Amino acid sequence: MELAYIPSPSSGVLYLGPVPLRGYAFCIIIGVFVAVWLGNKRWIARGGRAGTVADIAVWAVPFGLVGGRLYHVVTDYQLYFSEGRDWVDAFKIWEGGLGIWGAIALGALGAWIGCRRRGIPLPAYADAIAPGIAIAQAIGRWGNWFNQELYGRATDLPWAVEITRSSDGRMPGTYHPTFLYESLWCVGVALLVIWADRRFTLGHGRAFALYVAGYCAGRFWIEYMRVDEAHHILGLRLNNWTALLVFLLAVLYIVLSARRRPGREAVVEPGAGDGEGPADDTKKPGGDATGKDAPAEDAPAEDVTTDDATDPDDAGKPGKLDKAGKPDEPEASGEPEDAEEPEGSKDGAGSARKG
């Protein structure tokens, strides 16, 4: 007799009056909000604007949901298109079935569209949201607990999960809670990325690649424990091969990126530092768009040449302003003006007024 185990809910749906609240969908929604919240904090810390992560998530999340569902339906098509199955069930996403590989791939496409519209480099955005995605996966995996799915081999360990349903090939009993293993692993990956990002100042998509590599490493051994129906290639489940391939690609990207583009992006969002949009170029250094606070070299000419108006040149001729300001006066004598009258006389003051 089992002394302890994790009980499964009798139903994955709670009803708020006539409104059904499905545990699987609830976990996905909470995960998305946490990912956006954490990604926003990291984006601001890197020099971006508040709200940018959420704006781009409007593109990334729907693309990710579609991609995750497509991957699941394509790789497990027999669940929806074989004899006795209803193909309409392929659209019932609330019943479970999201492939993380398709979600990340198509979600990245949506993020790229959002980043392109904002003039933001996708790798910098990916680095900011990487730990949040891992946390979102950790929360979302509990949706499998509500649906009593994706468990591992039979076990009598104290933390085994109890399966009570017998539909869709399930056998009541206690099994390895692979959803719990993956949830805890994803939390560890998020902490690893946050630490490595601070320690090594990761940039140009390397924090995101570290998340991908870390997740794939855990997914490989967790996938190996699962007993649900799956396609096999050379004795390994399809997702094992996918995790291995993606892991190698992520590690290769980290190595090549570190060699070609070391360090981190200096600017992640154009115009974020001065509070103006990237297209706002109306302000110039030293003044605003109206011309206020103009530089000294743009001052009127009379302010610059006032000294020349009262000082004679080496030849004893009037200054520049005297010539320009008194075109009708006769040519002055060869003697300096201040030799005619004592300094400070009315004529001396009048000379400045005439200029």
Side-chain angles (χ1 to χ4, degrees):
M1 186 178 82
E2 298 87 359
L3 297 178
Y5 55 82
I6 301 174
S8 293
S10 58
S11 174
V13 184
L14 299 176
Y15 287 91
L16 186 62
V19 180
L21 302 177
R22 303 184 182 275
Y24 186 87
F26 196 59
C27 290
I28 296 296
I29 293 172
I30 294 177
V32 169
F33 274 102
V34 172
V36 171
W37 170 79
L38 181 57
N40 183 66
K41 290 177 65 67
R42 287 173 52 81
W43 184 251
I44 294 174
R46 293 193 62 174
R49 287 194 183 94
T52 296
V53 169
D55 291 344
I56 297 176
V58 171
W59 289 89
V61 172
F63 273 73
L65 291 175
V66 172
R69 188 61 175 178
L70 280 176
Y71 182 89
H72 168 73
V73 171
V74 170
T75 55
D76 291 311
Y77 60 88
Q78 72 279 357
L79 300 177
Y80 307 100
F81 302 104
S82 60
E83 186 177 355
R85 299 285 184 169
D86 187 358
W87 63 271
V88 177
D89 292 341
F91 297 95
K92 297 179 180 179
I93 192 173
W94 56 87
E95 293 183 355
L98 287 175
I100 186 61
W101 316 113
I104 293 297
L106 219 57
L109 175 60
W112 176 80
I113 295 174
C115 287
R116 186 175 178 84
R117 290 167 59 90
R118 298 290 293 264
I120 293 172
L122 177 61
Y125 180 82
D127 285 342
I129 65 172
I133 294 177
I135 295 295
Q137 287 180 255
I139 297 173
R141 273 305 178 197
W142 283 87
N144 302 133
W145 175 67
F146 279 99
N147 288 350
Q148 296 195 27
E149 60 186 1
L150 305 187
Y151 47 85
R153 303 186 186 98
T155 183
D156 58 358
L157 291 171
W159 56 83
V161 62
E162 181 190 31
I163 300 300
T164 59
R165 301 179 190 174
S166 57
S167 58
D168 294 328
R170 298 182 182 92
M171 292 290 293
T174 56
Y175 300 87
H176 278 284
T178 52
F179 76 90
L180 176 61
Y181 299 159
E182 187 167 336
S183 179
L184 295 176
W185 184 270
C186 287
V187 172
V189 170
L191 295 177
L192 171 65
V193 173
I194 292 174
W195 171 82
D197 194 24
R198 293 176 178 175
R199 174 66 177 81
F200 303 106
T201 316
L202 301 177
H204 301 286
R206 289 188 287 277
F208 183 82
L210 178 61
Y211 144 72
V212 172
Y215 172 75
C216 290
R219 180 62 183 267
F220 185 88
W221 67 267
I222 293 171
E223 185 74 21
Y224 191 74
M225 298 179 63
R226 284 168 48 174
V227 295
D228 53 303
E229 185 177 357
H231 297 286
H232 287 73
I233 301 175
L234 299 178
L236 289 178
R237 295 164 64 96
L238 175 61
N239 282 333
N240 282 114
W241 288 107
T242 304
L244 180 59
L245 176 61
V246 176
F247 172 83
L248 294 176
L249 291 175
V251 172
L252 180 63
Y253 179 86
I254 293 174
V255 173
L256 295 180
S257 176
R259 290 179 180 178
R260 297 181 179 180
R261 307 187 72 182
R264 177 184 286 177
E265 300 89 343
V267 177
V268 297
E269 187 168 2
D274 55 15
E276 300 294 337
D280 184 8
D281 56 0
T282 57
K283 291 189 177 183
K284 300 290 189 281
D288 58 14
T290 61
K292 295 179 180 180
D293 300 330
E297 57 267 28
D298 294 337
E302 59 267 25
D303 295 337
V304 179
T305 58
T306 303
D307 293 339
D308 292 338
T310 56
D311 296 335
D313 55 17
D314 294 339
K317 296 180 180 180
K320 296 177 182 178
L321 193 55
D322 285 335
K323 285 186 177 182
K326 300 188 297 180
D328 297 334
E329 292 187 7
E331 190 78 5
S333 62
E335 298 180 2
E337 289 182 358
D338 54 4
E340 296 177 357
E341 293 186 6
E343 183 177 351
S345 66
K346 292 183 179 180
D347 291 343
S351 173
R353 287 196 297 271
K354 289 179 183 179

